[in-house]
């Protein structure tokens, strides 16, 4: 039986069919990615949290090393008070204080289906109640609001478009329940597209433009802060890569949602409780991967067409199989989602289609729509 999914893009070997409303996506999907998220219970003490720092300083002259160490310490003192622990009935994650009104930004997979939470501020052992403001699973972002906090320290969000490969960054959060932990690394790449799997509290999503970092990201880090040495939050750690051949985490490969996307989506949620402008391209179809005679993915079959959407206007029908978009082959839903993530609403694209009865293959041209908000 086909399995319907609202957001998942993980490759599942041996899968027969997989439905997805498209939607979201981007330019070169990184497979083998697992969420570093909620579902881990704390194995630490119940005492007030203390900072745990894992840092490997590069070789440098004594003066330069001291200066760099001071930069680390200054950044941690400045930002760590803005990083909180979020507890739900199913596990824990991290969050970042967004404003003085008590709004906290985190991952959608951290909040899951919960609407109420317990939040522990940095340096405190007393949990405070919080409620859901809004969630947008396609970008794996959510906002909650804490009550009864007297001295919140909002973080300063930087401009993630200014990040360069090699920039030093720190990941702050609550990995494995170890409150207020800090790891260090560099920006390994920018502009990645990653496929976040469903399960373990994660709604699944294809995330465009993410930051790849060598800073260690572990379960519980999700929703925390990726921070520059200027003391600015430049991303929200969300995923850690897994090695499907060897099993377990792939060391030094983690991903964070860039701060420019975070502030845009969080700002919309705070203002209206919803996302009204996703800025993400959509075809206006639900699709499922179909297998060819060889047993390999051979395209994405349209299961449903949104009335009045781009696909409907172009004459696409249920049963048609999309094999390419803008000249890029789309053998499965993940690849189609990835291609769309690199495109923009309103952009003109070509879509190669095999008709439902298999009688003909044609190329249509259409103007992309926008992925719906929340």
């Amino acid at each position: 039986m086909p399995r319907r999914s609202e957001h998942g893009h993980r490759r599942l070997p041996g899968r027969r069919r997989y439905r997805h409303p498209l939607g979201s996506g981007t330019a070169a999907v990184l497979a083998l990615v697992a969420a570093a998220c909620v579902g881990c219970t704390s194995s630490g003490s119940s005492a007030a949290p203390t900072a745990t720092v894992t840092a490997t300083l590069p070789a440098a002259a004594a003066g330069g090393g001291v200066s760099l160490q001071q930069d680390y310490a200054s950044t941690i003192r400045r930002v760590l008070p803005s990083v909180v622990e979020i507890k739900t009935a199913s596990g824990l994650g991290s969050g970042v204080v967004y404003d003085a009104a008590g709004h906290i930004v985190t991952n959608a997979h951290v909040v899951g289906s919960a609407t109420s939470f317990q939040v522990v501020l940095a340096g405190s052992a007393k949990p405070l109640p919080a409620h859901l403001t809004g969630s947008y699973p396609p970008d794996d972002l959510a906002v909650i609001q804490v009550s009864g906090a007297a001295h919140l320290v909002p973080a300063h969000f930087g401009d993630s478009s200014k990040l360069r490969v090699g920039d030093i960054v720190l990941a702050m959060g609550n990995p494995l329940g170890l409150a207020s932990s800090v790891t260090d690394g560099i920006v390994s790449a920018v502009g990645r597209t990653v496929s976040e799997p469903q399960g373990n509290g994660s709604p699944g999503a294809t995330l465009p433009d993410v930051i790849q970092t060598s800073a260690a990201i572990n379960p519980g880090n999700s929703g925390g802060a990726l921070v520059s040495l200027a003391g600015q939050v430049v991303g929200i750690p969300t995923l850690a890569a897994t090695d499907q051949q060897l099993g377990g985490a792939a060391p030094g490969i983690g991903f964070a949602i860039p701060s420019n996307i975070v502030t845009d989506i969080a700002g919309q949620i705070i203002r209206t409780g919803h996302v009204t402008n996703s800025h993400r391209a959509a075809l206006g179809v639900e699709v499922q991967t179909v297998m060819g005679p060889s047993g390999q993915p051979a395209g994405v079959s349209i299961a449903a067409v949104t009335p009045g959407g781009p696909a409907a206007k172009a004459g696409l029908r249920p049963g048609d199989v999309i094999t390419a978009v803008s000249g890029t082959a789309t053998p499965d839903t993940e690849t189609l989602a990835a291609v769309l993530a690199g495109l923009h609403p309103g952009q003109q694209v070509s879509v190669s289609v095999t008709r439902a009865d298999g009688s003909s293959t044609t190329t249509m041209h259409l103007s992309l729509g926008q992925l719906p908000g929340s």
Side-chain angles (χ1 to χ4, degrees), residues 71-145:
D71 288 343
Y72 271 62
S74 174
T75 299
I76 292 167
R77 285 195 301 269
R78 179 177 176 182
V79 182
L80 200 58
S82 302
V83 180
V84 306
E85 181 177 273
I86 299 173
K87 296 182 179 181
T88 70
S90 58
L92 63 84
S94 303
V96 181
V97 178
Y98 191 81
D99 58 28
H103 292 108
I104 294 169
V105 65
T106 185
N107 286 133
H109 75 253
V110 169
V111 304
S113 59
T115 57
S116 61
F117 314 90
Q118 294 291 307
V119 171
V120 180
L121 304 181
S124 172
K126 180 183 178 182
L128 299 171
H131 66 272
L132 181 67
T133 301
S135 179
Y136 190 59
D139 279 323
D140 197 8
L141 289 170
V143 177
I144 67 174
Q145 187 170 21

Coordinates of all heavy atoms in Angstrom, one line a residue, residues 71-145:
D71 N 38.3 34.8 23.2 CA 37.1 34.9 22.3 C 36.1 33.8 22.6 O 34.9 34.0 22.7 CB 37.5 34.8 20.8 CG 38.3 36.1 20.4 OD1 38.2 37.1 21.1 OD2 39.0 36.0 19.3
Y72 N 36.6 32.5 22.8 CA 35.7 31.4 23.1 C 35.0 31.8 24.4 O 33.7 31.7 24.5 CB 36.5 30.2 23.3 CG 36.7 29.3 22.1 CD1 37.5 29.8 21.0 CD2 36.3 28.0 22.0 CE1 37.7 29.1 19.8 CE2 36.5 27.2 20.9 CZ 37.2 27.8 19.8 OH 37.4 27.0 18.7
A73 N 35.7 32.1 25.4 CA 35.2 32.3 26.8 C 34.2 33.5 26.7 O 33.1 33.4 27.3 CB 36.3 32.6 27.8
S74 N 34.5 34.5 26.0 CA 33.6 35.7 26.0 C 32.3 35.4 25.2 O 31.2 35.7 25.7 CB 34.3 36.8 25.2 OG 33.5 37.9 25.0
T75 N 32.4 34.6 24.2 CA 31.2 34.2 23.4 C 30.3 33.3 24.2 O 29.1 33.5 24.3 CB 31.6 33.5 22.1 OG1 32.4 34.4 21.3 CG2 30.4 33.0 21.3
I76 N 30.9 32.4 24.9 CA 30.1 31.5 25.8 C 29.4 32.2 26.9 O 28.2 32.0 27.1 CB 31.0 30.4 26.4 CG1 31.5 29.4 25.2 CG2 30.3 29.5 27.4 CD1 32.6 28.5 25.6
R77 N 30.1 33.1 27.5 CA 29.5 33.9 28.6 C 28.3 34.8 28.1 O 27.3 35.0 28.7 CB 30.5 34.8 29.3 CG 31.5 34.1 30.2 CD 32.2 35.2 31.1 NE 33.0 36.1 30.3 CZ 34.2 36.0 29.9 NH1 34.9 34.9 30.2 NH2 34.8 36.9 29.2
R78 N 28.5 35.2 26.9 CA 27.5 36.1 26.3 C 26.2 35.4 25.8 O 25.1 35.9 26.0 CB 28.1 36.9 25.1 CG 27.1 37.8 24.4 CD 27.8 38.6 23.3 NE 27.0 39.4 22.5 CZ 27.3 40.2 21.5 NH1 28.6 40.1 21.1 NH2 26.5 40.9 20.8
V79 N 26.4 34.2 25.2 CA 25.3 33.5 24.5 C 24.7 32.4 25.4 O 23.4 32.2 25.3 CB 25.7 33.0 23.2 CG1 24.6 32.3 22.4 CG2 26.4 34.1 22.3
L80 N 25.4 31.7 26.2 CA 24.9 30.6 26.9 C 23.7 30.9 27.7 O 22.8 30.0 27.8 CB 26.0 29.9 27.7 CG 25.7 28.5 28.2 CD1 25.6 27.6 26.9 CD2 26.9 28.0 29.0
P81 N 23.6 32.1 28.4 CA 22.4 32.4 29.1 C 21.1 32.4 28.3 O 20.0 32.4 28.8 CB 22.7 33.7 29.8 CG 24.1 33.8 29.8 CD 24.6 33.1 28.6
S82 N 21.2 32.5 27.0 CA 20.1 32.6 26.1 C 19.6 31.2 25.6 O 18.6 31.1 24.9 CB 20.4 33.4 24.8 OG 20.8 34.7 25.2
V83 N 20.4 30.1 26.0 CA 20.1 28.8 25.5 C 19.4 28.0 26.6 O 19.9 28.0 27.7 CB 21.3 28.0 25.1 CG1 21.0 26.6 24.6 CG2 22.0 28.8 24.0
V84 N 18.2 27.4 26.3 CA 17.4 26.8 27.3 C 17.2 25.3 27.0 O 17.5 24.8 25.9 CB 16.0 27.5 27.5 CG1 16.2 29.0 27.7 CG2 15.1 27.2 26.2
E85 N 16.7 24.6 28.0 CA 16.4 23.2 27.8 C 14.8 23.1 27.8 O 14.1 23.7 28.6 CB 16.9 22.3 29.0 CG 16.6 20.9 28.9 CD 17.2 20.1 30.0 OE1 18.3 19.7 29.9 OE2 16.5 19.9 31.0
I86 N 14.3 22.3 26.8 CA 12.9 22.2 26.6 C 12.5 20.7 26.9 O 13.1 19.8 26.2 CB 12.4 22.6 25.2 CG1 12.8 24.1 24.9 CG2 10.9 22.3 25.0 CD1 12.5 24.5 23.5
K87 N 11.6 20.5 27.8 CA 11.2 19.1 28.1 C 9.7 18.9 27.7 O 8.9 19.8 27.9 CB 11.3 18.9 29.6 CG 12.7 19.0 30.2 CD 12.8 18.7 31.6 CE 14.2 18.7 32.2 NZ 14.2 18.4 33.6
T88 N 9.5 17.8 27.0 CA 8.2 17.4 26.7 C 7.9 16.0 27.3 O 8.8 15.4 27.9 CB 8.0 17.2 25.2 OG1 8.7 16.1 24.7 CG2 8.4 18.5 24.5
A89 N 6.7 15.5 27.1 CA 6.4 14.1 27.7 C 7.3 13.0 27.1 O 7.5 12.0 27.6 CB 4.9 13.8 27.5
S90 N 7.8 13.3 25.9 CA 8.5 12.3 25.1 C 10.0 12.4 25.2 O 10.8 11.6 24.7 CB 8.1 12.2 23.7 OG 8.2 13.5 23.1
G91 N 10.5 13.5 25.7 CA 12.0 13.7 25.7 C 12.4 15.2 25.9 O 11.6 15.9 26.5
L92 N 13.6 15.5 25.4 CA 14.0 16.9 25.6 C 14.8 17.4 24.4 O 15.2 16.6 23.6 CB 14.9 17.0 26.9 CG 16.2 16.2 26.9 CD1 17.3 17.0 26.2 CD2 16.6 15.9 28.4
G93 N 14.9 18.7 24.4 CA 15.7 19.3 23.3 C 16.1 20.7 23.8 O 16.1 20.9 25.0
S94 N 16.5 21.5 22.9 CA 17.1 22.8 23.3 C 16.3 23.9 22.6 O 15.5 23.7 21.7 CB 18.5 22.9 22.9 OG 19.3 21.9 23.5
G95 N 16.5 25.2 23.1 CA 15.8 26.3 22.5 C 16.6 27.5 22.7 O 17.6 27.5 23.5
V96 N 16.3 28.6 22.0 CA 17.0 29.9 22.1 C 16.0 31.0 22.4 O 15.0 31.1 21.7 CB 17.8 30.2 20.8 CG1 18.6 31.5 20.9 CG2 18.7 29.1 20.4
V97 N 16.3 31.8 23.4 CA 15.4 32.9 23.8 C 15.5 33.9 22.6 O 16.5 34.4 22.3 CB 15.9 33.6 25.1 CG1 15.0 34.7 25.4 CG2 15.9 32.5 26.2
Y98 N 14.3 34.2 22.1 CA 14.2 35.0 20.9 C 13.9 36.5 21.3 O 14.4 37.4 20.6 CB 13.0 34.5 20.0 CG 13.0 35.1 18.7 CD1 13.8 34.7 17.6 CD2 12.1 36.2 18.4 CE1 13.8 35.2 16.4 CE2 12.1 36.8 17.1 CZ 12.9 36.3 16.1 OH 12.9 36.8 14.8
D99 N 13.1 36.7 22.3 CA 12.8 38.1 22.7 C 12.5 38.2 24.2 O 12.3 37.2 24.9 CB 11.7 38.7 21.8 CG 10.4 37.9 21.9 OD1 10.2 37.3 23.0 OD2 9.6 37.9 21.0
A100 N 12.3 39.4 24.7 CA 12.1 39.6 26.1 C 10.7 39.3 26.5 O 10.4 39.2 27.7 CB 12.3 41.1 26.4
A101 N 9.8 39.0 25.5 CA 8.4 38.6 25.8 C 8.3 37.1 26.1 O 7.3 36.6 26.5 CB 7.5 38.9 24.6
G102 N 9.5 36.4 26.1 CA 9.5 35.0 26.5 C 9.4 34.0 25.3 O 9.2 32.8 25.5
H103 N 9.4 34.5 24.1 CA 9.4 33.6 22.9 C 10.7 32.9 22.8 O 11.8 33.5 22.9 CB 9.0 34.4 21.6 CG 7.7 34.9 21.6 ND1 7.4 36.3 21.7 CD2 6.5 34.3 21.5 CE1 6.1 36.5 21.7 NE2 5.5 35.3 21.5
I104 N 10.6 31.6 22.5 CA 11.8 30.8 22.4 C 11.7 30.0 21.1 O 10.6 29.4 20.8 CB 11.9 29.8 23.5 CG1 12.2 30.5 24.9 CG2 13.0 28.7 23.3 CD1 12.0 29.7 26.1
V105 N 12.7 30.1 20.2 CA 12.7 29.4 19.0 C 13.4 28.1 19.1 O 14.4 27.9 19.8 CB 13.3 30.2 17.8 CG1 14.8 30.5 18.1 CG2 13.1 29.6 16.5
T106 N 12.9 27.0 18.5 CA 13.4 25.7 18.6 C 13.0 24.9 17.3 O 12.6 25.5 16.3 CB 12.9 25.0 19.8 OG1 13.5 23.7 19.9 CG2 11.4 24.8 19.8
N107 N 13.2 23.6 17.3 CA 12.8 22.8 16.1 C 11.4 22.3 16.3 O 11.0 22.0 17.4 CB 13.8 21.6 16.0 CG 15.1 22.0 15.5 OD1 16.1 21.5 16.0 ND2 15.2 22.7 14.4
A108 N 10.7 22.2 15.1 CA 9.4 21.5 15.1 C 9.5 20.1 15.7 O 8.6 19.6 16.4 CB 8.8 21.6 13.7
H109 N 10.6 19.4 15.4 CA 10.7 18.0 15.9 C 11.0 18.0 17.4 O 10.8 16.9 18.0 CB 11.7 17.2 15.1 CG 13.1 17.5 15.3 ND1 13.9 18.2 14.5 CD2 13.9 17.2 16.4 CE1 15.1 18.2 14.9 NE2 15.2 17.6 16.1
V110 N 11.4 19.0 18.0 CA 11.5 19.1 19.4 C 10.2 19.2 20.1 O 9.9 18.5 21.1 CB 12.4 20.2 19.9 CG1 12.4 20.4 21.4 CG2 13.9 20.0 19.5
V111 N 9.3 20.0 19.6 CA 8.0 20.2 20.2 C 7.0 19.1 19.8 O 6.1 18.7 20.6 CB 7.3 21.6 19.8 CG1 8.2 22.7 20.2 CG2 7.0 21.7 18.3
G112 N 7.3 18.5 18.6 CA 6.4 17.4 18.2 C 4.9 17.8 18.2 O 4.6 18.9 17.6
S113 N 4.1 17.0 18.8 CA 2.6 17.3 18.8 C 2.2 17.9 20.1 O 1.1 18.2 20.4 CB 1.8 16.0 18.6 OG 2.2 15.1 19.7
A114 N 3.2 18.2 21.0 CA 2.9 18.8 22.3 C 2.5 20.3 22.1 O 2.9 21.0 21.2 CB 4.1 18.7 23.2
T115 N 1.7 20.8 23.1 CA 1.3 22.2 23.1 C 1.8 22.8 24.4 O 1.6 24.1 24.6 CB -0.2 22.3 23.0 OG1 -0.9 21.6 24.0 CG2 -0.6 21.8 21.6
S116 N 2.2 22.1 25.4 CA 2.7 22.6 26.6 C 4.0 22.0 27.0 O 4.3 20.8 26.6 CB 1.7 22.4 27.8 OG 1.5 21.1 28.0
F117 N 4.9 22.7 27.7 CA 6.3 22.3 27.9 C 6.8 22.8 29.2 O 6.2 23.7 29.9 CB 7.2 22.9 26.8 CG 6.6 22.8 25.4 CD1 5.8 23.8 24.9 CD2 6.9 21.7 24.6 CE1 5.2 23.7 23.6 CE2 6.3 21.6 23.4 CZ 5.5 22.5 22.9
Q118 N 7.9 22.2 29.6 CA 8.7 22.7 30.8 C 10.0 23.2 30.2 O 10.7 22.5 29.5 CB 8.9 21.6 31.8 CG 7.6 21.1 32.4 CD 7.0 22.1 33.4 OE1 7.7 22.6 34.3 NE2 5.8 22.4 33.2
V119 N 10.4 24.4 30.6 CA 11.6 25.1 30.1 C 12.5 25.3 31.3 O 12.1 25.9 32.3 CB 11.3 26.4 29.4 CG1 12.5 27.2 29.1 CG2 10.5 26.1 28.1
V120 N 13.7 24.9 31.2 CA 14.7 25.2 32.2 C 15.7 26.2 31.6 O 16.4 25.9 30.6 CB 15.5 23.9 32.6 CG1 16.5 24.2 33.7 CG2 14.4 22.9 33.2
L121 N 15.8 27.4 32.3 CA 16.8 28.4 31.8 C 18.2 28.0 32.2 O 18.4 27.2 33.2 CB 16.4 29.7 32.4 CG 15.0 30.3 32.2 CD1 14.8 31.6 32.8 CD2 14.7 30.3 30.7
A122 N 19.2 28.5 31.5 CA 20.6 28.3 31.8 C 20.9 28.7 33.2 O 20.5 29.8 33.6 CB 21.5 29.0 30.8
G123 N 21.6 27.9 34.0 CA 22.0 28.3 35.4 C 20.9 28.1 36.4 O 21.0 28.5 37.5
S124 N 19.8 27.5 36.0 CA 18.6 27.3 36.9 C 18.2 25.8 36.9 O 18.5 25.1 35.9 CB 17.4 28.1 36.5 OG 16.3 27.8 37.2
A125 N 17.7 25.4 38.0 CA 17.2 24.0 38.0 C 15.6 24.0 38.1 O 15.0 22.9 38.0 CB 17.7 23.3 39.3
K126 N 15.0 25.2 38.1 CA 13.6 25.3 38.3 C 12.9 25.3 36.9 O 13.1 26.2 36.1 CB 13.2 26.5 39.1 CG 11.7 26.7 39.3 CD 11.4 28.0 40.0 CE 9.9 28.2 40.1 NZ 9.6 29.4 40.8
P127 N 12.1 24.3 36.6 CA 11.4 24.4 35.3 C 10.3 25.4 35.3 O 9.6 25.6 36.3 CB 10.8 23.0 35.1 CG 10.7 22.5 36.5 CD 11.8 23.1 37.3
L128 N 10.1 26.1 34.2 CA 9.0 27.0 34.0 C 8.0 26.6 32.9 O 8.4 25.9 32.0 CB 9.6 28.4 33.6 CG 10.6 29.1 34.6 CD1 11.2 30.3 33.9 CD2 9.8 29.5 35.8
P129 N 6.7 26.8 33.1 CA 5.8 26.4 32.1 C 5.9 27.2 30.8 O 6.2 28.4 30.8 CB 4.4 26.6 32.8 CG 4.7 27.8 33.7 CD 6.1 27.6 34.2
A130 N 5.6 26.6 29.7 CA 5.6 27.3 28.4 C 4.5 26.6 27.5 O 4.1 25.5 27.7 CB 6.9 27.1 27.7
H131 N 4.0 27.4 26.5 CA 3.0 26.9 25.6 C 3.4 27.2 24.2 O 4.3 28.0 23.9 CB 1.7 27.5 25.9 CG 1.6 29.0 25.6 ND1 2.0 30.0 26.6 CD2 1.3 29.7 24.5 CE1 1.9 31.2 26.1 NE2 1.5 31.1 24.8
L132 N 2.8 26.4 23.3 CA 3.2 26.5 21.9 C 2.6 27.8 21.3 O 1.4 28.1 21.4 CB 2.6 25.3 21.1 CG 2.9 25.3 19.6 CD1 4.4 25.1 19.4 CD2 2.1 24.1 18.9
T133 N 3.4 28.6 20.6 CA 3.0 29.7 19.8 C 2.6 29.3 18.4 O 1.6 29.7 17.8 CB 4.0 30.8 19.8 OG1 4.4 31.2 21.1 CG2 3.6 32.0 19.0
G134 N 3.5 28.5 17.8 CA 3.2 28.0 16.4 C 4.4 27.2 16.0 O 5.5 27.2 16.5
S135 N 4.1 26.3 15.0 CA 5.1 25.4 14.4 C 5.0 25.3 12.9 O 3.9 25.4 12.4 CB 4.9 24.0 15.0 OG 5.8 23.1 14.5
Y136 N 6.1 25.2 12.3 CA 6.1 25.1 10.8 C 7.1 23.9 10.4 O 8.3 24.1 10.1 CB 6.6 26.4 10.1 CG 6.4 26.4 8.6 CD1 5.1 26.2 8.1 CD2 7.5 26.5 7.8 CE1 4.9 26.1 6.7 CE2 7.3 26.5 6.4 CZ 6.0 26.3 5.9 OH 5.8 26.3 4.5
P137 N 6.5 22.7 10.4 CA 7.3 21.5 10.1 C 8.1 21.5 8.8 O 9.2 21.0 8.7 CB 6.3 20.4 10.1 CG 5.3 20.9 11.0 CD 5.1 22.3 10.8
P138 N 7.6 22.1 7.7 CA 8.5 22.1 6.5 C 9.9 22.7 6.6 O 10.8 22.3 5.9 CB 7.6 22.9 5.5 CG 6.2 22.7 5.9 CD 6.3 22.7 7.4
D139 N 10.0 23.7 7.5 CA 11.3 24.3 7.8 C 11.8 23.8 9.2 O 12.9 24.2 9.7 CB 11.3 25.8 7.8 CG 11.4 26.4 6.4 OD1 12.1 25.8 5.6 OD2 10.7 27.4 6.1
D140 N 11.1 22.8 9.8 CA 11.5 22.2 11.1 C 11.8 23.3 12.1 O 12.7 23.3 12.9 CB 12.7 21.3 11.0 CG 12.8 20.4 12.2 OD1 11.9 20.4 13.0 OD2 13.8 19.7 12.3
L141 N 10.9 24.3 12.2 CA 11.0 25.4 13.2 C 9.7 25.5 14.0 O 8.6 25.3 13.5 CB 11.3 26.7 12.5 CG 12.8 26.8 11.9 CD1 12.9 28.0 11.0 CD2 13.8 26.8 13.0
A142 N 9.8 26.0 15.2 CA 8.7 26.2 16.1 C 9.0 27.3 17.1 O 10.2 27.6 17.3 CB 8.3 24.9 16.8
V143 N 8.0 27.9 17.6 CA 8.2 29.0 18.6 C 7.3 28.6 19.8 O 6.1 28.3 19.6 CB 7.8 30.4 18.1 CG1 7.9 31.4 19.3 CG2 8.7 30.8 17.0
I144 N 7.8 28.6 21.0 CA 7.0 28.5 22.2 C 7.2 29.7 23.1 O 8.1 30.5 22.8 CB 7.5 27.2 23.0 CG1 8.9 27.4 23.6 CG2 7.4 26.0 22.1 CD1 9.3 26.2 24.5
Q145 N 6.4 29.9 24.1 CA 6.5 31.1 24.9 C 6.5 30.7 26.4 O 5.6 30.0 26.8 CB 5.4 32.1 24.7 CG 5.6 33.4 25.4 CD 4.6 34.5 24.9 OE1 3.5 34.2 24.4 NE2 4.9 35.8 25.2

